């Protein structure tokens, strides 16, 4: 199984809802700090044990590696972390299938201790022997250069494709985008995600832009095994590039040298990381990473403080601005040849005796440019959709109150609310529901007369809590009967604005939440908007 297949399998396991049966043993990722501390504790005990032996029998020669040499060996390229994760994976496939994470950690620490020469054991001799067998396999795997295979779960956490939630893990938008891609695009996405988070050339989990640049500039490398200074980049990251099929590595036991070659596909994909202009993937990766960082900050704060909120607003604004600049730059580049061809067409038509021939000659160039713009926009939209957060159950009552508070604050108008004590939860994107309700309420606030304005919102559960119905009505001029269906179309407006607000309302409640929206006359004299949202399944008109 390839590295990409293992990563995909791990992420799909994480993606499964809790309580749903899984097709294979659950994966577990060992905290790197735990693994390193376990090694330090074991080596300290070994050091003490060796010192006590020397004191008990002065002059005795101990034929065993020193704690210092073991420390260097196990810390090189984070061997202890890779061993711990491979060991945890093997345990899950053996005696630890149904064990708790704490039991897995305890057995991993025992394996580390026994691998360096301590005589720790379990009460069961058979289980101790099984741990030794698994530890030998794990050591061979990670020492043999297959670091990527040994650390799929740790790699997913390192690039933030997964994140811890309570005692388990959940899939992030970074992981969701990867699962929607295949082949070269999947590798391209991982490279952009790694580069956006890399801490430098020696980062074992994330290839840096500097590493990518030097590999593109120098396709062929040759160096001695023992001279680390000759190759100033993380070898774990280079081996992962080999798993991706981007480089080829050959080692000679006789010459004790290693040869590294960057393959043609590697040159292509790594070069993308070095370009000053940002691709759609690069901007999306940066935006998703910024969102995850802010979510982590909010979680640590326990609440969205004013400082965190300011940072969040600034980061979101920057991500939006960068994304806009990238789109504008790419579209402009695609339209430049179109503009040139159209200008030439105008001049030639004025001078030509047969304009039809001029149009035919220029048409291919113009069509090709316009098609490339639409193709780019389609790819950008599709890629962005991959990262969309899946619908989640939420409290509709609190969403309604948030929308009311927002419109009352900006319009200084009171909105009458007729709400039950509770409403059944619905499934969707809460922020978009608040935005859609805000659009309807804002329309009402802009339509009511300045004297004696009335805006009323009412919500109720229907048919054994199978659906929720929301009414928003006012005493404004209303919506003409012939426009009550068209008003939800994009670009249609009764007040000369963009006509996007009510189009969003229909998109949220009908397309996303599988409900219904309608507009009719209100007993108050103005318009009444009705939104019917299913709590389960799909609404029928």
């Amino acid at each position: 199984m390839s590295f990409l297949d293992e990563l995909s399998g791990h992420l799909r396991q994480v993606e499964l809802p809790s309580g749903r049966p899984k097709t294979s043993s659950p994966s577990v990722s060992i905290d790197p700090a735990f693994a390193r501390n376990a090694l330090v504790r074991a080596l300290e005990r070994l050091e003490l044990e060796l010192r006590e032996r020397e004191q008990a029998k002065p002059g005795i020669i101990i034929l065993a590696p020193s704690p210092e040499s073991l420390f260097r060996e196990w810390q090189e390229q984070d061997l202890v972390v890779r061993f711990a994760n491979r060991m945890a994976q093997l345990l899950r496939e053996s005696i630890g299938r149904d064990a708790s994470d704490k039991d897995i950690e305890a057995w991993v620490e025992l394996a580390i201790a026994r691998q360096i020469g301590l005589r720790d054991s379990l009460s069961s001799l058979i289980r101790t022997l099984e741990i030794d067998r698994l530890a030998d396999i794990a050591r061979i795997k990670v020492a043999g250069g297959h670091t990527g295979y040994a650390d799929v779960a740790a790699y997913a956490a390192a690039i933030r494709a997964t994140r811890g939630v309570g005692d388990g893990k959940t899939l992030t938008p970074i992981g969701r985008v990867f699962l929607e891609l295949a082949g070269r695009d999947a590798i391209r996405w991982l490279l952009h995600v790694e580069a956006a988070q890399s801490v430098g050339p020696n980062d074992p989990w994330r290839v840096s832009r500097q590493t990518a640049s030097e590999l593109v500039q120098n396709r062929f490398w040759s160096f001695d095994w023992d001279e680390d200074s000759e190759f100033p980049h993380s070898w774990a990251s280079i081996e992962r590039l080999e798993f991706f099929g981007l480089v080829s590595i050959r080692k000679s036991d006789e010459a004790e040298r290693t040869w590294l070659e960057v393959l043609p596909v590697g040159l292509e994909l790594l070069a993308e990381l070095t370009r000053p202009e940002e691709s759609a993937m690069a901007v999306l990766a940066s935006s998703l990473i910024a969102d995850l960082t802010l979510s982590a900050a909010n979680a640590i704060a326990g609440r969205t403080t004013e400082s965190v909120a300011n940072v969040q607003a600034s980061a979101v604004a920057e991500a939006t601005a960068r994304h806009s600049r990238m789109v504008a730059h790419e579209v402009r580049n695609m339209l430049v040849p179109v503009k040139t061809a159209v200008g030439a067409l105008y001049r030639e038509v004025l001078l030509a005796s047969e304009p039809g021939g001029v149009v035919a000659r220029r048409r291919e160039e113009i069509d090709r440019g316009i098609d490339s713009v639409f193709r780019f926009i389609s790819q950008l939209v599709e890629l962005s959709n991959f990262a969309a957060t899946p619908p989640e159950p939420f409290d509709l009552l609190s969403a309604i109150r948030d929308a009311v508070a927002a419109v009352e604050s900006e319009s200084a108008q009171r909105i009458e609310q007729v709400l039950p004590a509770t409403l059944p939860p619905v499934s969707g994107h809460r922020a978009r529901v608040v935005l859609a309700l805000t659009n309807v309420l804002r329309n009402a606030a802009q339509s009511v007369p300045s004297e004696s304005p009335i805006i009323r919102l009412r919500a109720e559960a229907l048919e054994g809590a199978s659906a929720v119905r929301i009414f928003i009505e006012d005493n404004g001029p209303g919506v003409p009967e012939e426009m009550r269906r068209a008003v939800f179309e994009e670009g249609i407006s009764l007040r000369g604005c963009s006509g996007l607000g009510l189009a969003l309302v229909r998109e949220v409640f009908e397309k996303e939440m599988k409900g219904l929206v309608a507009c009719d006359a209100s007993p108050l004299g103005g318009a009444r908007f009705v939104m019917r949202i299913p709590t389960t399944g799909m609404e029928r008109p």
Side-chain angles (χ1 to χ4, degrees):
M1 182 181 291
S2 72
F3 178 82
L4 293 180
D5 289 336
E6 284 201 22
L7 178 60
S8 179
H10 171 69
L11 295 181
R12 293 196 187 282
Q13 287 295 111
V14 173
E15 186 182 31
L16 288 177
S18 58
R20 183 173 168 183
K22 298 190 176 185
T23 57
S24 62
S25 302
S27 59
V28 61
S29 175
I30 299 296
D31 182 2
F34 171 85
R36 296 180 189 121
N37 282 319
L39 175 65
V40 170
R41 288 191 294 268
L43 289 173
E44 286 177 337
R45 290 169 51 214
L46 179 64
E47 182 182 24
L48 180 61
E49 183 177 303
L50 292 177
R51 188 180 302 124
E52 290 175 348
R53 279 198 231 170
E54 290 176 356
Q55 292 173 352
K57 297 181 179 181
I60 187 174
I61 299 176
I62 301 175
L63 300 176
S66 68
E68 294 86 353
S69 64
L70 288 171
F71 178 80
R72 288 193 296 270
E73 177 186 351
W74 281 82
Q75 290 289 7
E76 185 179 359
Q77 295 290 346
D78 245 356
L79 175 65
V80 65
V81 175
R82 295 185 282 113
F83 170 83
N85 279 284
R86 171 56 85 175
M87 186 67 192
Q89 180 183 341
L90 293 172
L91 284 167
R92 282 297 187 197
E93 296 170 357
S94 180
I95 59 175
R97 180 177 180 83
D98 299 316
S100 67
D101 287 354
K102 288 190 177 299
D103 286 339
I104 295 294
E105 287 183 346
W107 293 339
V108 167
E109 185 163 8
L110 173 64
I112 292 173
R114 292 182 66 82
Q115 282 287 304
I116 67 169
L118 291 173
R119 290 170 290 185
D120 299 13
S121 63
L122 297 175
S123 58
S124 168
L125 173 61
I126 301 303
R127 282 180 175 263
T128 302
L129 293 174
E130 175 64 2
I131 286 178
D132 284 344
R133 184 185 72 85
L134 297 177
D136 289 342
I137 295 173
R139 184 68 185 276
I140 291 171
K141 289 289 187 182
V142 298
H146 298 288
T147 56
Y149 288 99
D151 300 304
V152 167
Y155 173 74
I159 66 170
R160 303 171 86 173
T162 62
R163 64 178 174 183
V165 176
D167 294 332
K169 280 185 279 188
T170 187
L171 198 65
T172 69
I174 289 174
R176 280 193 289 273
V177 171
F178 172 77
L179 289 179
E180 294 292 340
L181 300 172
R184 187 173 297 189
D185 282 339
I187 297 172
R188 179 181 282 114
W189 173 247
L190 293 178
L191 290 175
H192 281 294
V193 169
E194 287 188 27
Q197 302 178 83
S198 177
V199 296
N202 292 316
D203 189 334
W205 299 107
R206 297 159 291 254
V207 67
S208 69
R209 297 188 193 281
Q210 181 181 339
T211 297
S213 177
E214 294 191 20
L215 290 176
V216 170
Q217 293 174 17
N218 304 289
R219 284 190 60 189
F220 302 97
W221 297 71
S222 174
F223 45 89
D224 292 336
W225 288 356
D226 297 331
E227 297 183 13
D228 295 337
S229 59
E230 280 195 68
F231 191 74
H233 301 282
S234 166
W235 192 244
S237 287
I238 298 301
E239 287 179 325
R240 194 167 54 256
L241 296 181
E242 183 182 32
F243 301 150
F244 290 165
L246 306 184
V247 303
S248 172
I249 299 172
R250 291 186 299 108
K251 294 182 179 180
S252 169
D253 293 335
E254 297 176 356
E256 294 188 350
R257 290 191 68 79
T258 297
W259 288 271
L260 170 67
E261 177 186 357
V262 183
L263 302 176
V265 65
L267 286 175
E268 175 190 341
L269 298 186
L270 292 171
E272 292 183 11
L273 303 182
T274 67
R275 293 171 186 159
E277 67 273 10
E278 292 186 302
S279 66
M281 279 193 178
V283 174
L284 180 60
S286 297
S287 299
L288 295 183
I289 291 164
D291 288 344
L292 290 172
T293 301
L294 291 166
S295 296
N298 287 341
I300 293 172
R303 56 189 178 89
T304 305
T305 62
E306 182 178 356
S307 60
V308 173
N310 290 338
V311 172
Q312 183 169 2
S314 175
V316 171
E318 174 63 18
T320 302
R322 292 176 65 219
H323 197 274
S324 299
R325 288 195 298 269
M326 184 276 297
V327 173
H329 174 79
E330 293 296 331
V331 171
R332 180 180 58 197
N333 286 347
M334 296 173 188
L335 288 179
V336 165
V338 176
K339 181 180 179 181
T340 302
V342 170
L345 174 64
Y346 290 156
R347 292 192 299 272
E348 292 174 11
V349 164
L350 293 175
L351 299 175
S353 58
E354 297 182 2
V358 175
V359 173
R361 187 168 62 254
R362 293 289 181 180
R363 179 174 179 176
E364 181 180 355
E365 186 177 0
I366 294 171
D367 288 349
R368 184 169 60 250
I370 293 174
D371 288 344
S372 67
V373 172
F374 280 100
R375 186 166 54 252
F376 171 76
I377 296 298
S378 297
Q379 291 172 348
L380 190 62
V381 170
E382 182 181 13
L383 186 62
S384 299
N385 287 338
F386 290 161
T389 304
E392 296 178 341
F394 66 91
D395 177 19
L396 182 58
L397 204 57
S398 67
I400 291 173
R401 288 176 176 144
D402 285 353
V404 169
V407 176
E408 283 185 335
S409 174
E410 70 181 39
S411 67
Q413 295 191 38
R414 178 178 173 275
I415 298 173
E416 297 179 17
Q417 300 176 60
V418 183
L419 301 173
T422 60
L423 285 172
V426 297
S427 182
H429 297 89
R430 186 185 186 278
R432 286 177 61 78
V433 171
V434 172
L435 179 60
L437 292 173
T438 300
N439 285 345
V440 180
L441 290 169
R442 185 180 290 121
N443 279 355
Q446 294 170 351
S447 301
V448 294
S450 56
E451 295 184 6
S452 303
I454 302 175
I455 305 172
R456 181 178 299 154
L457 185 151
R458 179 165 59 92
E460 60 184 5
L462 300 176
E463 302 167 7
S466 65
V468 173
R469 189 163 56 191
I470 302 173
F471 300 89
I472 297 178
E473 50 191 333
D474 60 66
N475 65 340
V479 177
E481 185 174 357
E482 66 275 11
M483 294 293 294
R484 289 174 186 167
R485 291 180 60 87
V487 75
F488 293 104
E489 297 291 334
E490 188 172 322
I492 301 297
S493 173
L494 300 180
R495 296 193 310 277
C497 53
S498 67
L500 297 176
L502 292 180
L504 173 70
V505 172
R506 186 173 70 172
E507 179 177 338
V508 169
F509 291 118
E510 291 195 351
K511 294 183 179 180
E512 296 179 9
M513 304 185 76
K514 310 304 180 186
L516 296 169
V517 295
C519 173
D520 60 11
S522 167
L524 299 177
R528 177 172 65 178
F529 288 86
V530 184
M531 288 133 286
R532 183 180 172 111
I533 310 167
T535 55
T536 57
M538 182 184 298
E539 278 291 281
R540 296 284 189 269

